[in-house]
Amino acid sequence: MRIHKSIMDRVLDFCVYEDFTSDGEEHYIVDFPLIENDYYYNIILSFGDKCQFLEPLHIRTELKNRIQNIANLYKD
């Protein structure tokens, strides 16, 4: 996943420095050990717009669905 440097400390709760690769001055690409369950999806969503899961596609799709479900709660 691609993260902003401002959440690096939070991501380090789940990874080690060796999992990080610099992606410009303000971002990192991280090999994040995602287990596909509600707990880990909620962690990813808690990073907000400071995180973008790049692959695999089915995880991106699941995150989009969860985000859409949250947005639907606030439609009215």
Side-chain angles (χ1 to χ4, degrees):
M1 68 182 182
R2 185 173 190 260
I3 66 161
H4 188 268
K5 66 181 181 181
S6 63
I7 64 167
M8 184 176 186
D9 288 343
R10 290 180 58 204
V11 176
L12 279 168
D13 288 341
F14 306 94
C15 304
V16 295
Y17 283 110
E18 291 77 20
D19 294 327
F20 288 74
T21 303
S22 180
D23 186 36
E25 291 185 21
E26 301 212 352
H27 293 91
Y28 292 94
I29 302 296
V30 182
D31 185 14
F32 189 84
L34 180 74
I35 298 169
E36 293 184 54
N37 61 32
D38 283 340
Y39 176 75
Y40 275 88
Y41 279 115
N42 289 338
I43 290 166
I44 297 299
L45 292 172
S46 77
F47 298 146
D49 66 351
K50 304 295 185 208
C51 166
Q52 179 185 16
F53 223 90
L54 302 173
E55 56 182 26
L57 180 59
H58 73 277
I59 291 175
R60 288 177 58 90
T61 301
E62 180 64 24
L63 287 166
K64 284 191 252 183
N65 289 337
R66 289 171 184 251
I67 292 166
Q68 186 60 50
N69 289 339
I70 293 167
N72 286 339
L73 293 173
Y74 295 95
K75 262 187 171 176
D76 298 329

